[in-house]
Amino acid sequence: MRRAIALAARGLGHTSPNPVVGCVITDAAGTVVGEGWHQRAGGPHAEVHALRAAGPAARGGTAYVTLEPCNHTGRTGPCAQALLEAGVARVVYAVPDPNPQASGGAATLRAAGVETEGGFLEAEAEAGNTAWLTSVRLGRPHVTWKYAATLDGRSAAADGSSRWITSPESRADVHRLRAEADAVLVGGGTLRADDPHLAVRGVEGATQPLRVALDTHAALLPGARILDDAAPTLLVVAEDADTRHLPGVDLLRLPLHDGRLPVPGLLTALHARGVRSVLLEGGPSLAGAFLEAGAVDRVVGYLAPALLGSGPAALADAGITTIARAVRLDITEAVRVGTDLRITAVPTTAVPTTAPKEH
């Protein structure tokens, strides 16, 4: 199953709006005879790739799958049926499928006499498929907030300069995060201060994410780097924003709440467009708005061995006024990247807010 989980990870950034899935098939004697993973949306599922590799050796064998085999016909046929036709005698899966349109594969297999067991290494498999699982369970994309800061928590110097706080290795690693996400999102402040490009560079075979820019009054200049053809771009503006200077730009118009673009409404609209994972690369204010809205599912911080003493903090107001209301995190990984420390963490407590903050 751990091998299947590793195989599933190869599909990150290529399968949306589908999950990442890995499959390993052993023959009746327990020898691995087939491996596969879901490589792209609309293409064969992991089980089909593994069955093709196994051929006749799959008969009487065992299939190890990271997600319960699907039970529906979409752009591809049901994997539960494919396993039955191949004569597999036993199926072990990690995570039950929470999608009501596709679940039921385990029941179909059991009804046909196939020994079927679920929940094996479930936590590990869930961690590898967290973006898709979040989108199915919550009806919105999974959000990763990425930031870079000095050891004293500054995202820029007092004069506003921020290039470069972190090492070249950390900056290259951010492109890996972009390549794994469906969308990369920034706010108007970052647009004006940095003129970001946001496309993936240096990652072979990467699928370019959707570049999403929150620009309430459509102040973006026509020559902005985010508007080139390196990757698709979506500009999110107020309903009445004047966008005549931006002909041909893909727009999402949202009603303002207290003069700000609504985080929940934005995520709902992105989910409707097939976005299942978002990499939040905006500044401190945007990050604070998402955190207060309860819409940060993972934090990836790149901490540089440097001190500034003044300048903006990595995170601005998130509506938290006392230590008792702090959002506590579980550190899932801490590794050195170049000269920096990359810390990955997930919230262990709900964001204590009475009303979502808009942005």
Side-chain angles (χ1 to χ4, degrees):
M1 185 62 80
R2 285 201 173 91
R3 174 60 179 166
I5 293 170
L7 288 168
R10 297 185 183 183
L12 284 171
H14 301 287
T15 66
S16 188
N18 295 345
V20 293
V21 183
C23 178
V24 173
I25 293 177
T26 60
D27 63 14
T31 301
V32 173
V33 292
E35 295 183 341
W37 68 95
H38 186 35
Q39 300 176 11
R40 61 178 178 83
H45 290 187
E47 296 94 322
V48 174
H49 282 296
L51 288 171
R52 288 175 180 172
R59 185 163 299 277
T62 299
Y64 299 86
V65 195
T66 58
L67 183 68
E68 178 187 356
C70 66
N71 199 41
H72 80 302
T73 300
R75 284 185 284 183
T76 60
C79 292
Q81 188 61 39
L83 291 166
L84 288 176
E85 292 175 357
V88 170
R90 180 170 176 251
V91 173
V92 179
Y93 65 90
V95 181
D97 194 330
N99 184 351
Q101 293 180 326
S103 61
T108 296
L109 291 165
R110 290 191 187 100
V114 175
E115 181 184 349
T116 306
E117 175 186 358
F120 193 70
L121 296 186
E122 183 173 356
E124 291 183 36
E126 282 226 10
N129 212 13
T130 185
W132 181 81
L133 290 168
T134 297
S135 72
V136 172
R137 290 166 178 166
L138 300 183
R140 66 158 176 82
H142 178 276
V143 177
T144 294
W145 170 43
K146 183 277 301 180
Y147 73 94
T150 59
L151 279 185
D152 57 338
R154 306 293 177 177
S155 62
D159 64 358
S161 59
S162 61
R163 296 186 178 181
W164 294 104
I165 285 179
T166 54
S167 66
E169 292 85 352
S170 288
R171 299 197 296 274
D173 195 60
V174 170
H175 286 275
R176 174 189 59 83
L177 290 179
R178 289 179 181 175
E180 292 178 357
D182 293 343
V184 180
L185 192 151
V186 297
T190 299
L191 282 178
R192 290 185 288 274
D194 299 338
D195 188 22
H197 191 229
L198 301 184
V200 176
R201 299 188 304 274
V203 180
E204 185 177 354
T207 300
Q208 289 292 346
L210 175 67
R211 299 178 292 187
V212 181
L214 276 59
D215 189 15
T216 305
H217 303 295
L220 187 67
L221 297 176
R225 298 173 68 212
I226 200 173
L227 295 179
D228 68 10
D229 59 1
T233 298
L234 176 67
L235 192 65
V236 186
V237 300
E239 284 183 314
D240 60 352
D242 185 353
T243 58
R244 288 175 293 180
H245 63 297
L246 298 169
V249 176
D250 190 10
L251 300 173
L252 171 61
R253 295 183 181 272
L254 293 175
L256 299 183
H257 293 275
D258 297 326
R260 298 175 181 269
L261 292 167
V263 171
L266 168 66
L267 292 177
T268 297
L270 290 177
H271 187 269
R273 287 173 170 251
V275 172
R276 298 296 179 261
S277 58
V278 170
L279 179 62
L280 183 62
E281 289 201 38
S285 296
L286 186 63
F290 268 72
L291 189 65
E292 189 170 3
V296 173
D297 303 297
R298 181 176 65 156
V299 179
V300 179
Y302 295 86
L303 301 182
L307 302 171
L308 283 172
S310 62
L315 180 65
D317 179 23
I320 301 169
T321 56
T322 175
I323 193 66
R325 291 166 59 86
V327 177
R328 301 292 180 177
L329 306 172
D330 177 29
I331 296 177
T332 59
E333 185 184 52
V335 296
R336 187 162 181 164
V337 180
T339 57
D340 309 318
L341 181 64
R342 185 188 71 208
I343 296 179
T344 304
V346 295
T348 58
T349 58
V351 179
T353 181
T354 55
K357 184 176 181 180
E358 313 298 342
H359 191 83

